[in-house]
Amino acid sequence: MHTAPIFVDASRCPLCHQPNACAQEIARATGQAQAPCWCASQTFSWELLARVPPAARDLACICEVCARGSRA
C-alpha cells in the first residue's frame, strides 16, 4: 500500500493551523535575518508536544497562542 507524502506548512501552527510567526520561517521566506524566535526561551510541556500530529513533529512550530493556552 502506497500513501502520498503529507505536506507540512512550516509557517503554520500544527495545532490550530494559524500563522506561527516562526522567526526561522520568516527568515527563510524573506531572506532577512531575524531576532531569535520567541519560542527559543520557552519550555513546552510534554502534553502539548504530544498533541502535535506525528507528521508535523520537528517540522512546524507551535504558535504562541496555543503555547499560552496549554499553560491555562
Side-chain angles (χ1 to χ4, degrees), residues 4-9 14 51-60:
I6 296 172
F7 174 76
V8 175
D9 184 347
R51 291 178 36 214
V52 175
R57 290 183 184 157
D58 298 322
L59 298 176

Side-chain angles (χ1 to χ4, degrees), residues 25-52:
E25 289 306 311
I26 293 170
R28 189 183 339 262
T30 65
Q32 297 179 356
Q34 301 291 306
C37 196
W38 68 271
C39 69
S41 63
Q42 302 299 307
T43 301
F44 298 95
S45 71
W46 286 111
E47 293 83 10
L48 177 65
L49 296 174
R51 291 178 36 214
V52 175

